[in-house]
Amino acid sequence: MSLFLEGLVLNAELIRLQTEERRFKARVTDLEERLGSDDSDARLMSTLSNIGLHMSGYISALGGEFAEFPARLDLHHLTVVIDRPGRPIYMSRTGGGENHLAYHLSALLSLHRFAATYDHPVPRFLLIDQPSQVCFPSNASYEAAGGSVDETERQEDVDLGAVRRLFETLHEFVAEHAPGFQLIVTEHANLREDWFQRSLVGPPWSKPPALVPDDWPEIPLQQQ
């Protein structure tokens, strides 16, 4: 029997199939090794954890609600989530303009801080338009501030403490957390603190003077 088996010529089709089997097994092994070395999910979780750590600090500095609980970015819903024990709180359910401002700013500053710290190719530039408006009792009160320190302090019921916390946080961000970052803020409020005044790029631009002088003639809409 052994002599018969030694002299037996294997079927050519069987040889081809065995070769294919070995090739496919090698391919499966290679793919499994590549999948095993892919740590993108782990790196993403690590990045979000670091960003969340910064977010919690900024929310606390800005006086946001639920600051005692960890905050994180939810990439699936593209929002901020507060991980309160037992039930997470999404930003849309926190209510209040000051809360939303705190959560939005904490997310933006934390993302830019992470990118700047680890030298990622993200433009180091952010423009924020009138962030302190939520600290004033009305739009009229906010506009009446007009870039004047005295008028800012004269407005009734304005939460100057919240305004000060806001700009202290922004100032600390560019001075310590992300040096060289360009942060531009357009504002009606004006604080008398020296660090605030040194941060102004020019005199308050209100009316007067205005972008369009008052003595310019008004052109009827149908003639424009």
Side-chain angles (χ1 to χ4, degrees), residues 1 25 27 31 38 60 69 99 126 144 149 158 166 183 221:
M1 184 178 292
K25 283 184 176 180
R27 178 62 173 165
L31 290 175
D38 182 11
S60 179
F69 302 118
N99 274 335
L126 182 62
V149 173
V158 60
L166 165 64
L183 179 59
L221 185 62

Side-chain angles (χ1 to χ4, degrees), residues 79-101:
T79 189
V80 175
V81 181
I82 306 298
D83 284 324
R84 186 176 62 177
R87 184 179 182 182
I89 305 173
Y90 285 80
M91 186 178 71
S92 60
R93 298 182 178 179
T94 59
E98 290 190 42
N99 274 335
H100 286 189
L101 175 68

